[in-house]
Amino acid sequence: MADEIVWPDVLTTVLEGRDLSVSEAEWAMRQVMQGAVTPAQLGGFLLALRAKGESVPEIIGFRDAILDAAVPLPVDPNVLDIVGTGGDRIGTVNISSTAAMIIAATGIPVVKHGNRAVSSKSGASDVLSELGIDLRLPPEAVAGVLDRAGITFAWAAAFHPGFKHASPVRAELGVPTVFNFLGPLVNPARAEANAVGVANPDVVPLISGVFRTRGATALVFRGEDGLDELTTTGYSRIWQISNGDEHAFDVHPRDLGMPTATLDDIRGGDAAHNAGVLRRTLAGERGAVRDIVLLNAAAGIVAFRLSQDPSQAQRNMIERLNEARDEAAAAIDDGRAEARLTAWVEASAAAGAE
């Protein structure tokens, strides 16, 4: 059937407001990843999708095509990815990157997937590069860093070379497209556990729908202030996905004995500034940044534990978050988190020298 699909039919379907099937969406994204699409076709397709609104089957097809075209990452998928979609335009410090190191310090293997900043001054790869992590390691070396340090980074630009075919059109369009929220779904490690922050509430059903349909384990969350993180400025909502089931929870920082903060308390700057904040947080500096990092680290720990033991889904979410927050705080206070960053930098440098 895939051989019978052609761009005029795909474009007509979307322009008429009808959803593509999984196979049609997979065909279209495969064409993009192979560079077998003209700028006019791609631009029209992305804008028509945006106007219609993407569906879960379409996102599944896009995801499958991107993962099929990805450079393989030879790691055990029994790992955690903690990531945000970006797009909140609030410009916080690098919360999920800091949380990832703390989570790794508790003994949970982390394969973080990310890219350069799009809507902030410092994306995950920007701050990690500033810290001394080599982003251009080959796949075997990326896997080796995980073995040595318990944490590694899969740079989207290196593992998804097909993305380059879409970049010029996306830049010329200048509006958000489906690519803006596919990132958290296409980690080449195919992580079994996921903690995903989503800025746009309209995107939540798409992200959670993919995890639910594919039988994955995930906590998907957003702050009511618009953050693609669990926030400490007020309420956040968490969608827990396990074994095809989905349940929603609300959480407030006071539920974990944390003070509320303001967005100004957690705003960041460029990569150098955010790297400095990250280092001080791992070294034990207290305040609003530590609080929000611990809250998000707790979400990652809860997501991983759920992937290991689905019966955790029956336990009270606040209790689980409190336990995990305490574990994360202990990893900072006894020096394990700071040591984990040092081990990661050293493992990255060693891999790059081999």
Side-chain angles (χ1 to χ4, degrees):
M1 180 181 176
D3 292 338
E4 300 171 359
I5 301 173
V6 292
W7 275 112
D9 290 344
V10 168
L11 292 170
T12 298
T13 297
V14 179
L15 285 168
E16 290 178 349
R18 293 182 285 121
D19 294 337
L20 299 174
S21 66
V22 172
S23 60
E24 289 171 329
E26 188 173 355
W27 176 88
M29 187 56 71
R30 190 180 302 117
Q31 296 293 300
V32 176
M33 293 296 100
Q34 295 173 352
V37 57
T38 68
Q41 289 168 334
L42 180 56
F45 180 58
L46 294 177
L47 289 178
L49 271 176
R50 175 82 189 278
K52 175 184 74 67
E54 297 85 353
S55 68
V56 170
E58 288 168 345
I59 302 303
I60 290 172
F62 297 154
R63 171 186 180 270
D64 290 351
I66 291 170
L67 285 173
D68 285 346
V71 176
L73 177 55
V75 299
D76 185 333
N78 190 32
V79 296
L80 171 75
D81 185 15
I82 178 169
V83 63
T85 60
D88 59 26
R89 301 194 179 280
I90 294 173
T92 65
V93 295
N94 291 88
I95 295 167
S96 65
S97 295
T98 313
M101 297 177 202
I102 297 167
I103 294 166
T106 70
I108 293 172
V110 178
V111 178
K112 186 161 170 57
H113 181 237
N115 212 339
R116 296 288 183 188
V118 175
S119 58
S120 68
K121 297 178 181 178
S122 175
S125 63
D126 300 292
V127 76
L128 294 180
S129 181
E130 182 70 26
L131 290 166
I133 307 299
D134 188 346
L135 304 181
R136 300 183 181 276
L137 296 174
E140 294 77 10
V142 172
V145 171
L146 178 64
D147 291 338
R148 294 175 179 176
I151 184 170
T152 197
F153 184 75
W155 187 28
F159 283 89
H160 300 293
F163 278 5
K164 68 177 181 290
H165 301 303
S167 295
V169 171
R170 292 177 64 198
E172 289 180 9
L173 290 177
V175 297
T177 70
V178 68
F179 282 97
N180 289 73
F181 57 85
L182 278 169
L185 298 171
V186 295
N187 187 326
R190 301 172 187 252
E192 293 286 347
N194 303 269
V196 181
V198 181
N200 184 346
D202 295 334
V203 173
V204 170
L206 300 176
I207 300 286
S208 62
V210 171
F211 286 131
R212 191 176 63 251
T213 303
R214 285 299 188 242
T217 300
L219 293 191
V220 179
F221 43 81
R222 69 179 302 273
E224 282 195 354
D225 53 11
L227 277 183
D228 65 335
E229 315 278 358
L230 288 180
T231 188
T232 50
T233 71
Y235 280 99
S236 299
R237 174 148 279 213
I238 300 173
W239 292 265
Q240 175 182 268
I241 298 100
S242 177
N243 287 335
D245 292 328
E246 179 178 329
H247 298 281
F249 306 86
D250 291 319
V251 60
H252 192 279
R254 65 170 171 260
D255 296 331
L256 284 80
M258 292 178 168
T260 55
T262 69
L263 288 176
D264 285 340
D265 292 331
I266 53 176
R267 288 190 201 277
D270 59 15
H273 172 87
N274 285 7
V277 173
L278 187 155
R279 287 186 182 280
R280 293 195 300 274
T281 301
L282 296 187
E285 184 175 81
R286 294 180 179 269
V289 171
R290 173 187 166 105
D291 289 343
I292 195 168
V293 165
L294 286 177
L295 181 57
N296 284 271
I301 293 170
V302 167
F304 185 79
R305 297 277 158 76
L306 181 62
S307 73
Q308 302 298 292
D309 178 11
S311 70
Q312 289 285 315
Q314 308 307 315
R315 296 185 58 214
N316 180 277
M317 175 61 75
I318 300 302
E319 289 181 2
R320 286 185 282 157
L321 286 171
N322 264 309
E323 291 171 1
R325 187 277 312 271
D326 290 345
E327 288 183 56
I332 293 177
D333 295 339
D334 64 16
R336 281 178 290 154
E338 191 172 28
R340 186 66 54 161
L341 171 57
T342 300
W344 190 5
V345 171
E346 291 175 351
S348 173
E354 291 175 353

